[in-house]
Amino acid sequence: MHSPGRSPREARAGSPHPWVFAAPAFAVLAVFFLTPTVYNFVYAFTDWSSFKSAISPVGLNNFTDLAASGALRKALTITLVYAAGVAVFQNLFGLGLALLLERDTRINRLLRVVFFIPVIISSLAAGYIFQALLRPDGGLNQLLSALAGTPVRTAWLGSTTWTILVVILIHSWKWMGMSMLVYLAGLKTIDSQVLEAARIDGVSPWQMLLRIRIPLIAPAVTFNVATALLGSMNSFDIVQATTGGGPGSSTELLNLFIFRTFGQGLYAQATTMSLVLFLAVVFLAFPVIGMLRRRERTMT
Amino acid sequence: MKDRASPAAVHDRDRRRTITAARLLPTVVQPVVSVLLALLLVGVPLWTVLVTAGKSQAEAFSPDLSLPSRWRLGENLAEVVERSEIGPAFIGSIVMLVPSVLAVLVLGSMAAWILARRSGRLTAVLYAVGISGIILPPAVVTLVLLLRQLGLAGSAVGMICTYTGMYMSTVIFFVTGFVRTVPESLEEAARVDGAGPVRVFTMIILPLLRPVLATATILISLYVWNDVFYALFVVGGRMDTLPLNLFAVASAGIHLNNWHLIFSYVLLMSLPLIVLFAVFQRSIISGITSGAVK
């Protein structure tokens, strides 16, 4: 917006904030981010594959094929369950750690660094570590056997019902350090006088947490839940490295399906699933964007 | 008199006891619980990596928490360096990381500056488009098609453009929020002295952005350095990065049960990052926290 009281020099020099500065960023965004997204809406309706030289439109065939095989509903359900699970557990872990390590003691500062290590190492490496730990003859069963006194040989990654929960917990483990940091930052913003006043009024520690502290860190909760929910919709590495989508495709997230289908040369089908992922995220994201925008506005 | 405690003394002793009980929680219970939790949740996984990387192939066949009968960590690390493409993969990772991070930071902060300083409907719309990538998943399949059409498929340039496009939103989001906290009067002073937008941006704004750019650098470097999904689509098979190479080693190795090599690789690839993080942890942690919750 041009202010009416500009100096003549400014008028000659043009706007002090020319759009030219924003052009390169938006050019990159337009070409390498938005264009492929628009392509999603086109190629999902074609027979694009590695087996044909020409690409021709096929209408809704890809959708009806995927729906008929059950792959569409199954992968979407698994992805949504995964995202919801990660949103819950990553935040429980993160908040728990933040409350545990809240005071600025030397040992707490050290442990915050330790709990951030999983965030630093690659998800793929984390996946292989847990694949090794969770084998029937692996480290977890070894620990449990020592505790129980009898041999434990649970196949933690072998259940078609419960393995999804195990990979959710691994994903939550990998990113809990990030949530912890955000919650710690949130807890730091709480005015100590509010807590002192509540303590004098005889509020129990549990009530203090649920009624006073958690409501006061609402922005951190919003940020953490949103990033965990939407970020995990796009998950791949951890599940690929631990289960590869199994057992019985019970952990096959949309991205695993897309990767596998792409590898088979069925590009249009992979695109269709990519479009489904996109639409699922958009559907979930609008309320979340609203919250983030509101936060941005209150920030200024 | 002395052996019979006065009521006041009894009261005093009781109070002291409750105080010590209350003090036990922060001074003993909290540190003990936290350390045990850290050992269990982070220590056990890292221990698994270390001992398995130190075992022979036969011993590592079924990886667990036991110590190797003879440490052969050095031999295993040497074997990984020799048998996998870890050298070229490291160079590949650097080649992807440095230009993408530089490009996304420079272009992103230029755009963020304009978006933070202007107002109106057009700015709001462009800002929404600019940060959309934080939430929307990249269309990875059609991205490959686009890169083929542009002649960038399978190349480092294609991969760099992909990362730049993907993480532009993150930079725009963080930096726009930050610029809004910088008073515009600083710019006006320079403008009165005759500085144009280029000079104002490079001399005034960019130096002020240092904290937020440091945070964004760390976050985006972590994302790019550890990415395997997009790299599999864009350069997989034609170029190597560390995660891609680990994926190849492990995919070949799982059938052969080369756990000792997989975890030697994990050690080689993670240790530099962990050391780097340990050295800079104070500024990294404060940067990330101030970026996320303002």
Side-chain angles (χ1 to χ4, degrees):
Chain A
M1 288 288 127
H2 292 178
S3 54
R6 292 184 308 163
S7 70
R9 191 207 298 270
E10 250 183 279
R12 243 181 294 127
S15 160
H17 302 112
W19 282 115
V20 184
F21 272 69
F26 280 94
V28 172
L29 262 179
V31 176
F32 294 102
F33 192 80
L34 301 175
T35 309
T37 304
V38 173
Y39 274 16
N40 249 356
F41 286 88
V42 177
Y43 290 92
F45 302 94
T46 67
D47 61 355
W48 176 34
S49 81
S50 63
F51 310 111
K52 290 181 182 166
S53 52
I55 302 174
S56 40
V58 293
L60 287 169
N61 275 8
N62 294 319
F63 291 90
T64 49
D65 286 353
L66 282 169
S69 73
L72 192 70
R73 206 176 60 89
K74 193 167 182 194
L76 186 61
T77 312
I78 291 170
T79 308
L80 290 173
V81 168
Y82 187 83
V86 168
V88 170
F89 284 105
Q90 189 183 318
N91 281 285
L92 283 180
F93 294 172
L95 185 60
L97 289 178
L99 291 169
L100 188 66
L101 305 176
E102 189 182 353
R103 286 182 316 131
D104 272 320
T105 62
R106 188 179 290 259
I107 192 158
N108 284 357
R109 273 199 288 265
L110 176 75
L111 290 175
R112 288 176 202 161
V113 176
V114 171
F115 283 113
F116 202 74
I117 290 177
V119 178
I120 307 166
I121 61 173
S122 88
S123 312
L124 199 64
Y128 293 131
I129 295 170
F130 275 91
Q131 203 205 114
L133 265 174
L134 299 177
R135 292 156 54 94
D137 53 3
L140 179 62
N141 283 341
Q142 201 188 359
L143 274 179
L144 291 175
S145 304
L147 284 176
T150 54
V152 178
R153 291 187 60 84
T154 313
W156 294 99
L157 296 170
S159 158
T160 48
T161 321
W162 296 107
T163 302
I164 181 83
L165 180 62
V166 177
V167 287
I168 287 170
L169 291 174
I170 300 172
H171 188 118
S172 307
W173 172 87
K174 159 84 171 104
W175 291 104
M176 66 188 180
M178 192 66 101
S179 303
M180 171 192 75
L181 280 192
V182 176
Y183 281 126
L184 279 170
L187 289 170
K188 280 250 183 331
T189 63
I190 297 180
D191 186 352
S192 59
Q193 287 183 339
V194 175
L195 300 181
E196 194 53 42
R199 209 168 290 135
I200 290 166
D201 287 348
V203 175
S204 73
W206 186 242
Q207 292 253 316
M208 179 91 98
L209 178 65
L210 290 183
R211 296 276 170 81
I212 298 168
R213 299 219 289 171
I214 292 180
L216 281 175
I217 56 168
V221 178
T222 309
F223 182 87
N224 269 338
V225 171
T227 47
L229 189 72
L230 298 167
S232 58
M233 294 281 286
N234 218 12
S235 184
F236 172 78
D237 322 17
I238 288 177
V239 181
Q240 176 66 36
T242 44
T243 67
S249 75
S250 65
T251 58
E252 194 171 73
L253 303 177
L254 279 164
N255 269 347
L256 269 85
F257 184 95
I258 292 168
F259 174 64
R260 196 165 50 77
T261 317
F262 183 84
Q264 291 164 353
L266 300 168
Y267 302 144
Q269 281 210 21
T271 309
T272 307
M273 276 304 205
S274 178
L275 182 59
V276 170
L277 175 66
F278 179 85
L279 293 174
V281 173
V282 168
F283 185 70
L284 268 177
F286 270 115
V288 175
I289 296 175
M291 281 189 289
L292 286 175
R293 290 288 309 276
R294 233 170 290 139
R295 190 176 76 94
E296 276 280 285
R297 261 200 300 273
T298 54
M299 246 169 56
T300 52
Chain B
M1 280 296 273
K2 283 266 171 188
D3 55 343
R4 228 174 263 267
S6 68
V10 170
H11 178 75
D12 211 42
R13 202 178 56 209
D14 276 3
R15 214 177 59 179
R16 211 175 305 134
R17 193 177 294 146
T18 50
I19 287 172
T20 39
R23 284 194 61 101
L24 215 60
L25 194 69
T27 53
V28 181
V29 179
Q30 185 269 339
V32 170
V33 169
S34 324
V35 169
L36 283 178
L37 209 58
L39 284 176
L40 193 71
L41 288 179
V42 185
V44 169
L46 295 187
W47 174 259
T48 308
V49 176
L50 186 67
V51 291
T52 313
K55 286 176 183 174
S56 67
Q57 183 174 15
E59 264 189 304
F61 188 78
S62 54
D64 57 17
L65 304 176
S66 58
L67 281 167
S69 57
R70 185 178 74 82
W71 279 94
R72 32 175 299 139
L73 187 59
E75 288 127 289
N76 287 341
L77 294 179
E79 195 180 342
V80 163
V81 172
E82 207 175 293
R83 278 184 44 184
S84 76
E85 300 287 312
I86 195 166
F90 181 78
I91 293 168
S93 277
I94 298 274
V95 166
M96 310 294 173
L97 178 80
V98 176
S100 356
V101 171
L102 274 179
V104 79
L105 289 182
V106 171
L107 304 186
S109 15
M110 282 163 62
W113 178 48
I114 305 301
L115 291 172
R117 289 297 187 229
R118 282 179 171 266
S119 55
R121 185 165 285 272
L122 175 66
T123 311
V125 171
L126 281 175
Y127 179 68
V129 172
I131 65 166
S132 63
I134 292 184
I135 286 164
L136 302 179
V140 67
V141 185
T142 45
L143 177 77
V144 175
L145 178 75
L146 176 82
L147 291 175
R148 277 185 200 161
Q149 290 168 345
L150 295 173
L152 296 174
S155 74
V157 178
M159 193 76 248
I160 291 162
C161 291
T162 302
Y163 287 139
T164 311
M166 253 166 54
Y167 298 122
M168 192 66 81
S169 292
T170 311
V171 176
I172 290 179
F173 177 71
F174 277 96
V175 179
T176 305
F178 190 87
V179 173
R180 284 178 185 156
T181 66
V182 174
E184 204 174 341
S185 54
L186 288 174
E187 295 180 26
E188 267 152 25
R191 237 176 282 137
V192 169
D193 290 344
V198 177
R199 275 185 71 85
V200 170
F201 181 73
T202 52
M203 308 300 278
I204 312 277
I205 296 299
L206 215 48
L208 288 173
L209 293 181
R210 201 177 300 155
V212 71
L213 290 184
T215 310
T217 308
I218 294 149
L219 273 183
I220 294 168
S221 300
L222 270 182
Y223 295 151
V224 172
W225 191 260
N226 289 333
D227 168 59
V228 68
F229 186 62
Y230 304 103
L232 273 172
F233 281 87
V234 175
V235 294
R238 274 172 284 192
M239 277 187 78
D240 253 344
T241 63
L242 286 170
L244 276 182
N245 195 219
L246 171 64
F247 187 64
V249 169
S251 303
I254 277 167
H255 309 290
L256 304 164
N257 279 300
N258 281 330
W259 283 105
H260 62 308
L261 296 184
I262 295 176
F263 284 140
S264 296
Y265 200 111
V266 167
L267 211 54
L268 277 178
M269 130 181 190
S270 311
L271 218 51
L273 275 187
I274 294 178
V275 170
L276 207 66
F277 178 74
V279 172
F280 294 108
Q281 46 97 2
R282 192 166 293 228
S283 55
I284 291 174
I285 286 189
S286 67
I288 291 175
T289 43
S290 69
V293 179
K294 284 215 193 77

